[in-house]
Amino acid sequence: MTSNIPIIASGWVGDRAKKTLQIVEKFVEEECIPADAVFSAQLGEGAKRWESHPPIVDELKEKAKKLGLWNMFLPKNHFKEGAGFSNLEYGLMAEYLGKSRVASEACNCAAPDTGNMEVFAKYGTNAQKKEWLAPLLDGKIRSAFLMTEPDVASSDATNIELSMRKEGNDYVLNGSKWWSSGAGDPRCKIYIVMGKSDPNNKDVYKQQSVILVPAGTKGITIERMLSVYGYDDAPHGHGHITFKDVRVPASNMMLGPGRGFEIIQGRLGPGRIHHAMRSIGAAEKALDWMLMRINDPIKKPFKKQLSEHGVILEWVAKSRCEIDAARLIVLNAAIKIDESNAKGALKEIAEAKVIVPQMALTVIDRAVQTFGGAGVCQDTPLANMWAQIRTLRLADGPDEVHLMQMGRNENKRGREVTEKLKRQMKETDELFRRYSIKPGILKAML
């Protein structure tokens, strides 16, 4: 059994998945992690970083295909196009992929393509699947998902303003989007765009639609690429894009007008699990680096190795506890999705979405602290890992939105638990009387 399958989840992992997990682990540790530095070197410097992609990625893709590590993310109980694994089984694989910058793309399991392929597979017409899903599944093209806007509070998706106006057999789009991840890649050929098609609908959740817009359509301008704490993530990129009278056929509408919220909820749920499991992989990698640093015989503050300082060992122990606990939360959510669907696992998905990035950031920060100045520069992967994980507290909905919804739902139990506790206190009073006990301080505590 691979080491990252908790006993409590082992019954849900099939023999084929266990064998694949071993292959994934070997591929990531022996092929992908050593290739991460090569990726950066081949990327080069300056504007040319946006014009091509490092050839090491294509080499790794070919190796991954031969190993059968391709499109593992599409869950078998919801899609026929994937590799036949459950959300739980892929979640365990995604943990390994999260240890390397190039591993997810090498296996055609990189965001935002994974979520976008799920959208096509679940909601696309046969024509849309043929034109866009097929080449995405083959890894021949890439895609972007355009939802967030710079001029409104996009954490509340009802605020989205990009206009979708019907004109004859077309829709005309006007507005702007940002954090359009993947839009910088020259292989990005299709945008999945959310906008407002029926602004006067009394139901605010039926005002939005999702439409397909081929990259390069007339009227689209990529204004700039946004950086994440100074990292621009070339050639992938996070684009700030404007639409001016962009005309696309009405047949590009997904599922139908007014069904945007239905689509994005179906897309974002599994994606949050993927991000969470990759974050656990990043946390494991950070702990590896921490262990290497604290056992470096050359580094001896106050004449002791770092591993001889009690506070450092406490960091190591806490990191192990937190990683293992977070993994169980994510796998629980994955099992719930497998047994129902993303809508049936909203609470479990939200728990994972909130807890896991915070855990990973804490572990990475401890590793940074053990390295001192080296931890915040380019000499280790830790600074870049921290920057990438930090975005996950905002991506797919900020933590506060999920916490607010979870708090509201949990608070619905208020009347029930109040009645239960009052019944218990009443029963306690009866027991006091039966045994002739004076309540005193004890009753005050109850």
Side-chain angles (χ1 to χ4, degrees), residues 118-140:
E118 288 190 6
V119 168
F120 279 114
K122 189 172 183 179
Y123 305 111
T125 64
N126 289 333
Q128 290 167 350
K129 290 179 181 180
K130 182 178 180 181
E131 184 172 7
W132 303 114
L133 179 58
L136 281 167
L137 287 169
D138 288 340
K140 293 179 179 178

Side-chain angles (χ1 to χ4, degrees), residues 297-332:
I298 299 175
K299 304 293 185 178
K300 290 187 176 182
F302 307 104
K303 303 188 184 304
K304 289 182 180 180
Q305 280 186 254
L306 286 170
S307 60
E308 297 179 88
H309 292 272
V311 66
I312 302 298
L313 292 178
E314 182 179 327
W315 290 355
V316 170
K318 284 184 174 180
S319 297
R320 172 48 59 207
C321 291
E322 292 158 3
I323 292 171
D324 289 352
R327 180 184 292 113
L328 293 178
I329 288 172
V330 182
L331 297 184
N332 179 61

Side-chain angles (χ1 to χ4, degrees), residues 4 153 181 306 361:
N4 75 331
S181 297
L306 286 170
L361 289 170

Side-chain angles (χ1 to χ4, degrees), residues 58 65 112 313 330 339 372 382 390 400 423:
D58 290 331
K65 285 181 180 179
L313 292 178
V330 182
E339 292 190 342
L382 298 171
R390 182 60 183 83
E400 291 72 21
R423 287 195 305 269

Side-chain angles (χ1 to χ4, degrees), residues 224-395:
R224 55 176 176 155
M225 287 296 162
L226 306 170
S227 63
V228 178
Y229 288 101
Y231 297 99
D232 62 13
D233 296 330
H236 182 69
H238 310 282
H240 181 184
I241 301 175
T242 56
F243 291 72
K244 184 175 182 180
D245 297 328
V246 174
R247 188 176 292 270
V248 293
S251 59
N252 283 22
M253 182 69 70
M254 298 206 76
L255 203 58
R259 301 183 71 177
F261 264 87
E262 181 180 346
I263 293 172
I264 64 168
Q265 287 303 320
R267 180 190 187 278
L268 295 178
R272 289 166 182 148
I273 295 298
H274 301 166
H275 280 315
M277 286 306 291
R278 285 192 293 267
S279 298
I280 289 175
E284 287 281 11
K285 181 174 182 176
L287 182 54
D288 287 348
W289 278 79
M290 190 193 312
L291 291 172
M292 180 180 72
R293 176 67 169 194
I294 69 175
N295 289 290
D296 185 344
I298 299 175
K299 304 293 185 178
K300 290 187 176 182
F302 307 104
K303 303 188 184 304
K304 289 182 180 180
Q305 280 186 254
L306 286 170
S307 60
E308 297 179 88
H309 292 272
V311 66
I312 302 298
L313 292 178
E314 182 179 327
W315 290 355
V316 170
K318 284 184 174 180
S319 297
R320 172 48 59 207
C321 291
E322 292 158 3
I323 292 171
D324 289 352
R327 180 184 292 113
L328 293 178
I329 288 172
V330 182
L331 297 184
N332 179 61
I335 292 170
K336 191 67 179 287
I337 297 174
D338 287 330
E339 292 190 342
S340 57
N341 51 42
K343 188 174 181 179
L346 289 178
K347 177 175 74 74
E348 290 79 8
I349 292 170
E351 289 171 347
K353 197 276 178 193
V354 170
I355 288 174
V356 175
Q358 292 185 21
M359 174 280 298
L361 289 170
T362 299
V363 174
I364 294 169
D365 189 66
R366 289 180 187 134
V368 168
Q369 200 71 2
T370 63
F371 273 89
V376 296
C377 75
Q378 69 270 37
D379 289 356
T380 78
L382 298 171
N384 182 257
M385 287 164 57
W386 191 93
Q388 298 305 314
I389 300 294
R390 182 60 183 83
T391 65
L392 298 184
R393 294 195 59 205
L394 298 170

